[in-house]
Amino acid sequence: MSETSHAHQVHAAPTGFIWKYIFSLDHKIIGIQYYFLALIAVFLGMALSLIFRLRLAWPTEQWPLLAKIFPAGFEGGPMTPEFYLSMVTMHGTIMVFFVLTTAPQSGFGNYFLPIQIGAHDMAFPVLNMLSFWVTFVSMVVMVAALFVTGGAPLSGWTAYAPLSALGEIAGPGQGLGQTLWIISIAIFCLASLLGALNFITTVLNMRAKGMSLMRMPLTVWTWFTTAILALLSFPVLLAGGILLLFDRLGGTSFFIPAGLVVSDRVIAHAGGSPILWQHLFWFFGHPEVYIAILPGMGATSHILSTFARKPVFGYRAMVFAIFAIGLLGFFVWGHHMFISGMSPYSAMTFSILTLSIGVPSAVKTFNWLGTLWGSRIRFTTAMLFAIGFVSLFVAGGITGLVLGQTSLDLPMHDTYFVPAHFHLVMGVASIFGMFAATYFWFPKMFGRFMSERLGKFHFWLTFIGVYCIFVPMHTMGMVGMPRRYSQFTEYRFLDSIHPLVIFVSIAAIITALVQLVFYFNLIWSIFKGKKAGDNPWEATTLEWNTASPPPHDNFAGVLPVVYRGPYEFAVPGAPNDYVMQTEPDSSMEGVSGNGHNDHKH
């Protein structure tokens, strides 16, 4: 692959507060805006999850404070089942779109991708700024759905038709609340497309001299692959959302079949297919899993190598595994629909393809273990969260192998086994990747360290807490506890499981409260943290070759030249145990490589 170097005009540094911090064109400020938007979203998402956990653990209790905020959700005393479903819907939507999709890719990716490839900014700065503000508008519209007349939608984060397509007659929240939900997701799709185009163009056109593709850090590879996934999958969800709005507001019948009777009223629609919505949604939905998890994989690889003081084991295999995961992700959406009545032959095909994703996933896992094997590990907070990511990814991935088989998925699909699986492998693992990235890159972003003592306290209680929440959920699923139900007191066979439901709810409350330690550590450290040098972790990639925090154009007017791969640790004969990517070959004469010096393609 040829080396790439392009000249791009640098936009002038802004002077006023509005243009510097609000409508900034600087990719670093935009990355921080995305990051703090995600912090607000995850706080809201956690709060919603605690509200519905109250209903599950103590279904007959009354909550006067919540009743004052949401009077319609507590009519008659205890939380209503409809309000419970609306909380589940909004929790899932906010966490998937505004946290898992936003922070790893748009937050950290915006900030660090240009610096890691030696560029002064993203390819389209104005488009970058617009993508953030479109995302912001999308979140405002989504949050508004909580407070409109009728309340938030109750059709789940997947918005399955015909429930989501019928309008107010389908129940509370299915009027204006559901319409706002669809509009918000459509706006989010547009923002994601703007961002994806920017990421792809930046990687292909703006790499520094010497930065060949096989010299890019694995973080860049995952952001690049994620952008491709977003570019190909979000248009399908956008199209589906538009058709769903037509069904709701225009009288069409894309997803509404004939013969429906709701509240003793015959629905005047015919010819639609609810299964069509599932196909459209999950064609987006399964790539979305990798949109959420791939950036965490990249950050984990980056951090493991840095604190193990070893090159990433099997760099090329890791790159090909990243692309294989992304590619196969477009061919497995049907495993979400095994119970939809699809042909057994289709189900068999989707099952085989689903299980095949275990191959590149195993490559990545064993390469992470190979990176750690025999190393001198520095147990920083970032390293602990990266190791925690590997643990959660493996634990959640193993149960994915169970659900990928039709014979096992059929009895378990509508049980708690499924939420337990995807929370571990997609939700919590991705969030651990965000935590690892935060503790790792915070010194570069703000020029100060976060507290390691508070960070390790945060890690251990969070790590134990998430396993206390989601491991028991697997047990609940195996005994047949159905998901999407607001209470289980009517089912005698589940009486013995209720103490486990209470245990999970208490664990969730404690784990959520522990996150306040992280918020305090983050905000306090921005202003009062110990000052950090330009390369406090003794890392090798280009972001550590500039000031902390970086100047407006990243490299003070002099773009770097790259001479070697991204993970040159433990090079025999080198004066230090790491060699920067900008270290010329002439300064390393007589020094033998470590297996990564040959990334000069």
Side-chain angles (χ1 to χ4, degrees):
M1 300 174 186
S2 60
E3 296 179 346
T4 306
S5 179
H6 295 268
H8 292 264
Q9 185 177 357
V10 180
H11 55 82
T15 54
F17 178 84
I18 296 294
W19 296 108
K20 187 174 182 179
Y21 295 109
I22 307 299
F23 298 110
S24 176
L25 301 182
D26 185 348
H27 70 97
K28 298 181 291 297
I29 299 299
I30 294 170
I32 291 173
Q33 289 175 323
Y34 270 116
Y35 181 76
F36 278 96
L37 182 70
L39 285 182
I40 295 170
V42 75
F43 184 84
L44 178 59
M46 283 193 305
L48 297 177
S49 71
L50 296 185
I51 290 173
F52 69 71
R53 289 303 317 178
L54 294 177
R55 167 73 191 205
L56 289 170
W58 302 283
T60 60
E61 288 292 323
Q62 300 186 26
W63 309 97
L65 179 60
L66 290 174
K68 289 182 180 180
I69 301 173
F70 302 105
F74 292 82
E75 291 179 346
M79 186 186 305
T80 65
E82 293 83 2
F83 184 74
Y84 164 84
L85 290 174
S86 70
M87 292 296 100
V88 173
T89 298
M90 296 300 287
H91 162 75
T93 303
I94 289 171
M95 294 298 284
V96 169
F97 290 96
F98 298 102
V99 179
L100 303 181
T101 305
T102 299
Q105 178 75 1
S106 301
F108 290 112
N110 251 308
Y111 196 108
F112 286 104
L113 182 142
I115 306 177
Q116 288 193 338
I117 64 173
H120 61 78
D121 205 327
M122 295 290 277
F124 308 114
V126 175
L127 205 65
N128 205 19
M129 179 265 289
L130 288 174
S131 67
F132 167 75
W133 284 107
V134 173
T135 302
F136 178 82
V137 170
S138 172
M139 182 168 166
V140 170
V141 173
M142 182 62 68
V143 173
L146 284 167
F147 302 102
V148 296
T149 302
L154 46 75
S155 56
W157 80 274
T158 58
Y160 273 3
L163 179 62
S164 61
L166 292 172
E168 292 183 0
I169 193 173
Q174 294 307 101
L176 181 57
Q178 183 70 66
T179 300
L180 288 177
W181 186 97
I182 300 168
I183 293 172
S184 171
I185 295 303
I187 296 171
F188 188 89
C189 290
L190 292 174
S192 297
L193 290 174
L194 296 179
L197 288 169
N198 217 349
F199 273 70
I200 293 169
T201 306
T202 302
V203 171
L204 294 179
N205 288 346
M206 297 187 65
R207 303 193 306 279
K209 183 179 180 180
M211 180 60 78
S212 62
L213 291 177
M214 282 298 169
R215 283 177 173 173
M216 295 195 309
L218 291 173
T219 45
V220 176
W221 277 109
T222 55
W223 289 321
F224 178 56
T225 306
T226 299
I228 295 173
L229 296 180
L231 186 67
L232 297 176
S233 63
F234 273 105
V236 178
L237 180 62
L238 176 60
I242 293 172
L243 298 181
L244 191 58
L245 277 178
F246 284 164
D247 274 11
R248 292 175 57 80
L249 307 176
T252 59
S253 298
F254 291 104
F255 308 119
I256 305 176
L260 278 183
V261 179
V262 180
S263 301
D264 296 324
R265 173 181 156 192
V266 178
I267 304 300
H269 286 263
S273 170
I275 300 300
L276 174 60
W277 169 258
Q278 292 191 35
H279 279 293
L280 293 174
F281 183 88
W282 287 118
F283 186 84
F284 150 80
H286 201 79
E288 166 62 21
V289 171
Y290 301 112
I291 290 172
I293 197 69
L294 276 174
M297 291 179 174
T300 294
S301 303
H302 202 69
I303 294 167
L304 290 180
S305 177
T306 299
F307 293 116
R309 315 310 293 168
K310 282 180 59 181
V312 168
F313 183 86
Y315 171 91
R316 289 176 178 276
M318 293 287 263
V319 171
F320 295 135
I322 290 167
F323 257 90
I325 290 171
L327 178 64
L328 287 170
F330 279 105
F331 297 97
V332 300
W333 78 91
H335 71 229
H336 297 276
M337 302 169 56
F338 284 154
I339 63 168
S340 67
M342 67 166 58
S343 161
Y345 299 105
S346 298
M348 184 186 306
T349 302
F350 281 122
S351 179
I352 293 171
L353 288 169
T354 298
L355 297 178
S356 70
I357 290 189
V359 176
S361 299
V363 168
K364 296 191 70 64
T365 301
F366 285 113
N367 283 16
W368 287 327
L369 297 177
T371 302
L372 294 175
W373 184 263
S375 62
R376 294 170 292 137
I377 299 176
R378 299 178 180 178
F379 286 104
T380 63
T381 303
M383 184 63 158
L384 290 174
F385 272 106
I387 295 172
F389 173 95
V390 177
S391 170
L392 291 162
F393 177 73
V394 172
I398 289 173
T399 56
L401 297 176
V402 174
L403 294 172
Q405 302 176 65
T406 54
S407 59
L408 296 176
D409 180 79
L410 291 176
M412 289 186 179
H413 187 86
D414 282 321
T415 74
Y416 265 81
F417 196 91
V418 173
H421 156 70
F422 73 71
H423 274 84
L424 278 182
V425 76
M426 175 187 173
V428 181
S430 180
I431 288 176
F432 265 56
M434 295 179 216
F435 284 141
T438 299
Y439 285 103
F440 180 69
W441 278 316
F442 187 90
K444 181 56 59 177
M445 297 169 72
F446 299 102
R448 296 178 182 272
F449 288 104
M450 294 182 71
S451 168
E452 282 289 307
R453 180 176 297 179
L454 289 178
K456 290 175 180 175
F457 175 82
H458 171 226
F459 166 76
W460 284 112
L461 288 188
T462 303
F463 184 71
I464 295 169
V466 296
Y467 272 111
C468 286
I469 296 168
F470 297 112
V471 169
M473 280 192 186
H474 288 89
T475 302
M476 297 176 192
M478 286 187 283
V479 300
M481 180 174 282
R483 54 184 171 136
R484 306 187 184 102
Y485 282 44
S486 62
Q487 67 186 67
F488 308 99
T489 52
E490 289 79 6
Y491 299 94
R492 298 278 74 86
F493 78 98
L494 294 176
D495 284 349
S496 61
I497 299 295
H498 194 68
L500 206 55
V501 176
I502 295 175
F503 173 80
V504 167
S505 297
I506 293 173
I509 293 169
I510 294 172
T511 305
L513 291 175
V514 169
Q515 305 318 304
L516 297 178
V517 175
F518 169 76
Y519 278 85
F520 170 80
N521 192 2
L522 181 80
I523 302 302
W524 183 87
S525 298
I526 289 175
F527 302 101
K528 298 292 185 180
K530 178 184 174 182
K531 290 189 176 180
D534 293 344
N535 189 8
W537 308 128
E538 298 181 314
T540 60
T541 44
L542 295 184
E543 74 267 33
W544 306 106
N545 205 53
T546 186
S548 297
H552 172 69
D553 64 351
N554 296 338
F555 298 99
V558 181
L559 294 180
V561 178
V562 175
Y563 295 95
R564 59 191 69 253
Y567 303 110
E568 296 288 338
F569 293 102
V571 178
N576 300 308
D577 74 339
Y578 67 100
V579 181
M580 302 289 290
Q581 283 193 282
T582 53
E583 190 74 28
D585 289 335
S586 58
S587 65
M588 300 292 293
E589 289 181 3
V591 176
S592 59
N594 60 7
H596 283 251
N597 266 330
D598 62 345
H599 292 162
K600 301 177 181 180
H601 308 280

